[in-house]
Amino acid sequence: MSSQSAFAAATDALAGSVLGALTGTGDAVQLARYVDDAPDTLAALAAVRVLGADALSPQLLAGHPFPAQDAAIVAKAFESFPASDAMAERTAARRDWATAQLLARLAGDDTLRALAPPPADEAELTGTAHWQTWSVRMAQLAPLATLGLDGPVHDAARGGALPLSRGVSRSILRRDFPTAVRLIRWLAWLRHDGTELPLDPALAAEHVRLVGGAGPRTALDLAIVRHFLERRPRTVPKAAHA
């Protein structure tokens, strides 16, 4: 098996474990144990690196404890796979920032706090880019649609409910279900945030679940969507931006 294939398989395996912990159908996820028990330690660390903030979903959304040794594993994953020139582009940098912020919140571990997002870009973060291009970028940033994070990307989502909804519809029509569910995740986050939406994320998520199939990572996104939809909005709904 090639390194890429091994890394992909390990990421799917970790996503499945995180999903089980989040939905209550599996044991609590312990990243340190996952890495220690893995047949390929490097692939397991790559999986932690790739999932990033989503690996912390059981702690953020379901209140699972976060063992101190798991913070060390997250830091080790970043050390083993430092941001290269390719990884340091804007989207990856924002995802890394999300992981660092959540690690500090859950474990009080500031090891990764030095990771900073790139400066806000007008076209990237205000929706002034073409809505199709912008929605693809927001799908890539779906790990930021979780509890405990807020910033320019979230402000852009608040002002972009309509293009996000268009992105969901377009992705479903193209049968690009992974992209669709990542955008649905933003809509679910927006509903929890109190934004009135032009598209019902619950109906869209159910459609994807029924017809789109679900690999472990898509299933994890759907589970995160359900968690947000089951939570009460934290503010009075605000009108969606046209």
Side-chain angles (χ1 to χ4, degrees), residues 157 160-162 164-165 184 186-192 194-202 229 237-240:
L162 182 57
L164 287 171
S165 298
I184 293 168
W186 275 113
L187 294 183
W189 182 88
L190 284 171
R191 173 171 287 184
H192 171 67
T195 298
E196 186 176 326
L197 302 172
L199 179 70
D200 187 340
L229 295 178
K238 302 178 282 289

Side-chain angles (χ1 to χ4, degrees), residues 97 144 146-155 158 189 193 234:
W97 168 83
L144 276 68
T146 193
L147 293 179
L149 293 176
D150 208 339
V153 173
H154 302 80
D155 289 338
R158 292 182 180 103
W189 182 88
D193 191 57
R234 64 183 182 182

Side-chain angles (χ1 to χ4, degrees), residues 125-140:
L125 295 181
T126 65
T128 56
H130 191 280
W131 68 267
Q132 294 180 6
T133 302
W134 182 75
S135 63
V136 169
R137 176 65 61 86
M138 291 298 284
Q140 295 168 341

Side-chain angles (χ1 to χ4, degrees), residues 80-239:
S80 300
F81 297 94
S84 65
D85 289 341
M87 291 179 67
E89 53 93 17
R90 305 183 73 87
T91 299
R94 291 191 185 283
R95 289 170 59 122
D96 286 351
W97 168 83
T99 305
Q101 294 295 309
L102 295 174
L103 184 67
R105 177 185 174 188
L106 288 170
D109 190 315
D110 287 335
T111 304
L112 303 179
R113 277 285 200 182
L115 296 174
D121 176 85
E122 184 74 11
E124 177 190 15
L125 295 181
T126 65
T128 56
H130 191 280
W131 68 267
Q132 294 180 6
T133 302
W134 182 75
S135 63
V136 169
R137 176 65 61 86
M138 291 298 284
Q140 295 168 341
L141 291 170
L144 276 68
T146 193
L147 293 179
L149 293 176
D150 208 339
V153 173
H154 302 80
D155 289 338
R158 292 182 180 103
L162 182 57
L164 287 171
S165 298
R166 286 174 173 166
V168 170
S169 299
R170 179 175 184 268
S171 298
I172 289 175
L173 288 172
R174 291 165 61 90
R175 301 188 67 81
D176 181 359
F177 298 114
T179 297
V181 76
R182 289 170 195 143
L183 293 174
I184 293 168
R185 182 167 161 177
W186 275 113
L187 294 183
W189 182 88
L190 284 171
R191 173 171 287 184
H192 171 67
D193 191 57
T195 298
E196 186 176 326
L197 302 172
L199 179 70
D200 187 340
L203 291 178
E206 180 64 8
H207 178 78
V208 170
R209 187 187 70 81
L210 290 173
V211 305
R217 296 183 70 184
T218 298
L220 177 57
D221 279 323
L222 284 170
I224 293 170
V225 166
R226 284 195 297 273
H227 267 267
F228 275 111
L229 295 178
E230 290 167 359
R231 290 173 178 269
R232 302 184 98 183
R234 64 183 182 182
T235 61
V236 177
K238 302 178 282 289

Side-chain angles (χ1 to χ4, degrees), residues 46-61:
V48 174
R49 182 75 167 88
V50 170
L51 277 192
D54 282 349
L56 310 178
S57 296
Q59 290 79 23
L60 292 167
L61 300 176

